[in-house]
Amino acid sequence: MNELISLDQQLLVFLNGLGSSTFDPFWLLVTGKWFWIPFYVILLYLVYKAVPRKKLIFVLIFIAIGITISDQLASVFKHGVERLRPCQDPMVLEKMRFVICGGKYGFYSAHASSVFFLFSFLSILIGKQYKYLTFILLFWAILVSYSRIYVGVHYPMDVAFGAGVGFLLGGFLANLTKKVINKN
């Protein structure tokens, strides 16, 4: 386990070290929640166009449930595992550059979990109706997830685990949503 943590720390220092103060404002935008509101509005519109009106409420409810589970589960893990964020960890603090710092604990990334939840959920549910949507969502999810490493608030393993949880949760809830909307 110590070797895995050491590799995670080394990967963080490398990936985080690729940044420069010139690009910090861009990555702060990418990692921010408010920046993506126009993108969420577009996604909402695509869902609205792809799902029959009578079934739209079910889709929206499942999205809300998925985001809530994704976020709250990450919080449970953060306080259960209690792994320090890189910007709080004396083992890497001297070796890295950090742009911002979050709370004390960082395992696992709620940002990565939420964006990969949306990637998985929407790709399964409406991806076939829009030619490039899956690729756009994947690019977006990777971009947001990497931003968490760039700004120094998560280790790569925090992000990878969060992405995996979100991806699996999105797949599960998308298939459950399909069953519910096909019954009505």
Side-chain angles (χ1 to χ4, degrees), residues 139-179:
F139 176 76
W140 165 69
I142 290 169
L143 188 71
V144 170
S145 296
Y146 174 72
S147 77
R148 307 306 288 165
I149 298 166
Y150 181 97
V151 299
V153 295
H154 284 294
Y155 286 100
M157 193 165 66
D158 301 345
V159 169
F161 193 88
V165 169
F167 181 81
L168 293 173
L169 182 62
F172 173 74
L173 287 179
N175 286 304
L176 188 58
T177 302
K178 281 182 168 184
K179 286 181 182 181

Side-chain angles (χ1 to χ4, degrees), residues 121-142:
F121 185 89
L122 294 175
S123 293
I124 291 168
L125 207 63
I126 63 169
K128 290 180 182 173
Q129 289 146 304
Y130 301 103
K131 189 174 183 180
Y132 299 109
L133 181 64
T134 298
F135 299 107
I136 292 167
L137 289 171
L138 179 60
F139 176 76
W140 165 69
I142 290 169

Side-chain angles (χ1 to χ4, degrees), residues 9-20:
Q9 291 171 338
Q10 290 172 28
L11 186 57
L12 166 83
V13 170
F14 172 74
L15 292 172
N16 174 264
L18 295 174
S20 75

Side-chain angles (χ1 to χ4, degrees), residues 74-121:
S75 184
V76 167
F77 268 79
K78 283 176 185 168
H79 295 289
V81 174
E82 294 186 344
R83 183 181 191 195
L84 294 174
R85 289 181 185 271
C87 58
Q88 303 275 2
D89 190 347
M91 297 297 290
V92 295
L93 197 53
E94 299 294 324
K95 300 175 194 168
M96 61 173 279
R97 54 184 301 282
F98 72 93
V99 183
I100 59 171
C101 195
K104 191 171 183 180
Y105 304 119
F107 185 82
Y108 62 86
S109 170
H111 275 73
S113 185
S114 295
V115 296
F116 271 90
F117 163 77
L118 284 171
F119 156 68
S120 178
F121 185 89

